[in-house]
Amino acid sequence: MWVIKYRSFFYILSGLAIVASLAAVAMYGLNLGIDFKGGTTIELDYGQNRPETAELRASLDKANLGNLLVQPVDESGMVIRSKNLSPEEKNSLTKQASVEGKYSFTEKRSDSIGPTLGNELATRGIIAIVIVALMIVLFISFAFWGVSRPVASWKYGIIAISTLAHDVIIPTGVFALLGHFKGTEIDALFLTALLTILGLSVNDTIVVFDRIRENLKNKVAPHFEDVVGMSLSQTFTRSINTSMTVILVLLAVYFFGSPTTKDFALVLTIGMVVGTYSSIFIASPLLVTWEKWSRK
């Protein structure tokens, strides 16, 4: 199959994307939200008469509360993010939010997260990703135990994890760029999206691997490379169609959904595209490459 024949091209393409993503993270870092750094988020509803962002920011600066992030939400709301505020500081901020009494508003929500809780959330998120990765290796090694030739079952697990790392690194790099140029923040939903990507992507990879296992048992071709190529051909359309239906739904959420779920939908969309690509163009070709190295 042409995917196997031109696998070097896809390796180079993925390698460049990973290097660019890691470089973006190293250069710009991740713009962590209050979920990780701690801070206060206040959402105000101004009804039909909402101030312009610049006008509101100028008024809030008079409260001398340091760096404030002001973002419009829907047609009538404003979200204000800041460091952790004391009750007195919060009163001062909400007083300035009326812009000298020109605008009236209602407070829809107010959340505060301490830095300790934010660090704990980040640590638990990373631990969750590591545990998911280890469980995937163990599951694939167990599920493919009967397929030890010509590629050992544990190698299927290692390759699956390698492609999952690929699927997580690239969206993270994109969000490092968005954080630097557009102020997009990394929050708890971002971690949730990464864990979801791990589950969806490995599902696609296992479907292809499972077809390879069946074809190896049925001895459909004399060479391992041909078996992998045939298996990819048999699952190619299914993988593309399944992923496209999910991606279309995610795009609908991104363009027509609530502003609070836009970033979540965006990272999932990027993850689905990258995950589908890696399941077809990276995971199975890596099996062929590893098998060829083993015979040398």
Side-chain angles (χ1 to χ4, degrees):
M1 188 190 185
W2 58 275
V3 174
I4 302 298
K5 183 177 180 182
Y6 298 107
R7 59 186 180 278
S8 297
F9 169 78
F10 300 116
Y11 294 163
I12 293 171
L13 190 62
S14 288
L16 291 174
I18 288 173
V19 169
S21 299
L22 292 176
V25 174
M27 287 173 63
Y28 303 124
L30 296 174
N31 185 20
L32 300 178
I34 70 165
D35 290 350
F36 300 109
K37 291 192 300 187
T40 298
T41 298
I42 300 173
E43 184 173 351
L44 306 175
D45 187 353
Y46 285 90
Q48 300 294 322
N49 187 28
R50 184 176 68 181
E52 294 296 324
T53 304
E55 183 183 15
L56 178 60
R57 187 190 301 277
S59 178
L60 294 176
D61 284 344
K62 294 175 183 174
N64 293 320
L65 297 174
N67 233 3
L68 297 174
L69 180 63
V70 182
Q71 289 179 315
V73 177
D74 296 328
E75 295 182 354
S76 61
M78 280 286 187
V79 168
I80 303 165
R81 293 186 173 90
S82 69
K83 63 178 185 179
N84 263 323
L85 300 178
S86 65
E88 294 77 17
E89 288 174 325
K90 186 187 168 190
N91 286 338
S92 175
L93 184 141
T94 51
K95 184 179 177 183
Q96 294 298 333
S98 67
V99 192
E100 298 179 347
K102 285 173 61 179
Y103 303 96
S104 60
F105 60 83
T106 55
E107 185 177 313
K108 291 183 69 176
R109 67 182 174 100
S110 175
D111 302 318
S112 290
I113 296 178
T116 303
L117 186 60
N119 290 335
E120 186 178 337
L121 180 64
T123 303
R124 287 187 176 187
I126 293 169
I127 290 173
I129 290 176
V130 172
I131 290 175
V132 168
L134 288 175
M135 293 302 291
I136 288 171
V137 170
L138 291 175
F139 171 74
I140 293 178
S141 298
F142 174 76
F144 287 77
W145 191 257
V147 186
S148 57
R149 292 179 182 278
V151 176
S153 59
W154 62 269
K155 293 179 180 176
Y156 286 81
I158 296 297
I159 287 174
I161 291 301
S162 303
T163 55
L164 290 181
H166 166 279
D167 301 343
V168 168
I169 288 172
I170 292 176
T172 304
V174 172
F175 267 66
L177 290 173
L178 290 174
H180 180 73
F181 292 107
K182 296 191 67 176
T184 304
E185 292 185 342
I186 302 293
D187 55 15
L189 278 179
F190 180 83
L191 269 183
T192 306
L194 289 188
L195 287 168
T196 308
I197 290 169
L198 292 179
L200 292 172
S201 178
V202 78
N203 178 59
D204 254 358
T205 303
I206 286 178
V207 167
V208 183
F209 283 180
D210 191 54
R211 184 56 58 93
I212 292 172
R213 177 177 62 176
E214 292 299 317
N215 285 335
L216 281 172
K217 286 181 179 176
N218 295 330
K219 299 179 180 178
V220 296
H223 304 293
F224 184 67
E225 180 175 342
D226 297 330
V227 174
V228 174
M230 288 179 63
S231 304
L232 273 175
S233 300
Q234 293 164 355
T235 55
F236 188 87
T237 305
R238 177 262 176 208
S239 294
I240 295 292
N241 288 344
T242 305
S243 299
M244 281 303 297
T245 55
V246 178
I247 290 169
L248 287 174
V249 171
L250 291 172
L251 287 175
V253 173
Y254 178 77
F255 286 110
F256 305 112
S258 164
T260 55
T261 58
K262 273 185 177 292
D263 291 342
F264 179 69
L266 179 60
V267 67
L268 276 179
T269 304
I270 297 170
M272 277 300 300
V273 172
V274 174
T276 305
Y277 164 81
S278 69
S279 298
I280 297 172
F281 299 97
I282 300 298
S284 300
L286 276 176
L287 283 175
V288 175
T289 300
W290 203 331
E291 188 268 341
K292 285 184 177 293
W293 284 348
S294 301
R295 282 195 283 114
K296 287 181 180 177

